[in-house]
């Protein structure tokens, strides 16, 4: 038994490259506790995004096991994984992945409508979250009308809208300048405290990573605790 929220055991991922097999992740053991905030750092190409995609059920491991609380989800089918993600998980990507034709409000309301809320309810809650992330003056703007930092705030509001227990953020500040990056980090730290949401934040910015409770380093396919 374990009280971990999200956990993997001996998780490996290999790709076939012509005749060669390239191993990106090798026997990764990792556990995220409820409310915990962990940074994963590593060079470009070290497998950070691959790891997040495996943990979020967006990609299948070559071997190993994946657990959410005490449920093993290694072999769940795509529709069960999609439902699990909608209810328990938020994602924030480096390039926001917002829907370009929709306003900030509609983008944030969308995951709740998918979860079955009425459009009126969904928009009311979406507005509350957008106000919380400092965008009350940008509700009807489309992504192209927002700055990079504002788009990431919308993406964060969207990730939080179904009250997930875990948010997986893949280089959420990778596309922002220092000041905007710092303020997005602060926002995630505050939301972690306010909502007790666990975070895994992938970054190659060690300075930002070190503001988090725990830093894990991905190197040569193996995850190490940072030696402090
Ligand atoms: N679909 C794929 N097919 C083959 N190789 C891949 C695929 N996706 C990722 N890789 C390889 O896996 C390695 C890790 O990629 P990635 O997880 O994106 O790294 P990071 O996010 O740390 O930059 C890279 O060498 C990349 O080329
Ligand atoms: Mg990546």
């Amino acid at each position: 038994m374990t009280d971990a929220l999200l956990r993997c055991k001996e998780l490996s991922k290999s790709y076939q490259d012509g005749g060669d097999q390239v191993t990106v992740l090798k026997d990764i053991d990792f556990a995220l506790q409820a409310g915990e905030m962990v940074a994963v750092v590593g060079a470009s190409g070290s497998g950070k995004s691959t790891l997040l995609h495996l943990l979020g059920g967006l990609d299948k491991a070559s071997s190993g096991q994946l657990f959410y609380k005490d449920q093993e989800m290694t072999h769940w089918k795509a529709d069960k994984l999609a439902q699990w993600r909608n209810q328990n998980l938020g994602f924030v990507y480096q390039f926001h992945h917002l829907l370009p034709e929709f306003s900030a409000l509609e983008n944030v309301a969308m995951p709740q409508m998918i979860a079955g809320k009425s459009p009126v309810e969904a928009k009311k809650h979406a507005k509350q979250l957008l106000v919380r992330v400092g965008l009350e003056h940008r509700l009807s703007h489309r992504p192209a009308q927002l700055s990079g930092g504002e788009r990431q705030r919308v993406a964060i509001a969207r990730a939080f809208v179904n009250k997930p227990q875990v948010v997986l953020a893949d280089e959420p500040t990778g596309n922002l300048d220092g000041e905007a990056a710092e303020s997005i980090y602060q926002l995630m730290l505050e939301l972690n405290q306010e909502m007790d949401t666990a975070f895994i934040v992938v970054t190659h910015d060690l300075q930002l990573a070190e503001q988090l409770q725990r830093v894990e380093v991905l190197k040569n396919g193996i995850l190490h605790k940072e030696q402090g």
Side-chain angles (χ1 to χ4, degrees):
M1 290 291 267
T2 168
D3 55 1
L5 197 56
L6 189 60
R7 181 166 70 92
C8 66
K9 195 163 173 249
E10 294 174 9
L11 209 63
S12 296
K13 180 73 177 178
S14 304
Y15 292 105
Q16 208 64 39
D17 179 19
D20 299 331
Q21 193 172 338
V22 180
T23 299
V24 178
L25 299 174
K26 194 171 182 319
D27 294 336
I28 305 276
D29 288 323
F30 176 82
L32 180 73
Q33 308 299 321
E36 193 182 20
M37 201 165 184
V38 180
V40 174
V41 300
S44 179
S46 60
K48 304 181 299 295
S49 295
T50 304
L51 179 62
L52 271 201
H53 291 164
L54 295 180
L55 289 173
L58 291 170
D59 194 5
K60 285 279 182 209
S62 306
S63 62
Q65 293 171 285
L66 188 63
F67 301 88
Y68 184 70
K69 297 180 178 169
D70 283 323
Q71 289 178 282
E72 182 171 358
M73 41 184 217
T74 315
H75 302 294
W76 283 3
K77 298 252 185 317
D79 56 347
K80 189 161 181 191
L81 281 169
Q83 191 187 16
W84 168 75
R85 275 197 301 274
N86 181 257
Q87 291 171 354
N88 300 290
L89 211 69
F91 266 96
V92 181
Y93 298 90
Q94 179 174 357
F95 301 100
H96 59 85
H97 283 229
L98 298 171
L99 299 168
E101 301 303 316
F102 292 91
S103 69
L105 190 71
E106 289 162 341
N107 266 284
V108 177
M110 201 73 73
Q112 298 174 89
M113 298 196 312
I114 292 168
K117 268 198 184 174
S118 74
V120 172
E121 273 295 301
K123 283 187 181 168
K124 190 172 146 201
H125 183 54
K127 184 176 170 185
Q128 287 168 352
L129 267 162
L130 284 165
V131 170
R132 169 60 192 89
V133 301
L135 291 180
E136 60 274 31
H137 57 313
R138 294 286 184 271
L139 301 180
S140 56
H141 285 54
R142 285 196 298 275
Q145 300 170 308
L146 299 169
S147 72
E150 288 171 340
R151 281 180 213 142
Q152 286 306 62
R153 285 172 189 271
V154 177
I156 288 169
R158 180 183 57 178
F160 269 90
V161 83
N162 285 343
K163 300 189 174 70
Q165 304 234 30
V166 185
V167 170
L168 305 180
D170 193 356
E171 310 221 23
T173 62
N175 209 22
L176 303 176
D177 64 34
E179 205 175 314
E182 178 61 34
S183 91
I184 290 294
Y185 249 73
Q186 288 309 322
L187 175 63
M188 292 192 296
L189 284 162
E190 288 165 20
L191 290 171
N192 165 252
Q193 291 294 310
E194 280 168 35
M195 313 215 192
D196 210 28
T197 308
F199 269 82
I200 304 175
V201 183
V202 158
T203 180
H204 54 245
D205 188 334
L206 211 47
Q207 224 174 336
L208 290 175
E210 275 165 0
Q211 298 177 36
L212 305 194
Q213 295 155 2
R214 175 150 73 99
V215 180
E216 299 270 350
V217 183
L218 198 52
K219 198 174 174 189
N220 300 327
I222 296 170
L223 199 59
H224 306 267
K225 255 201 180 56
E226 195 198 28
Q227 304 299 314

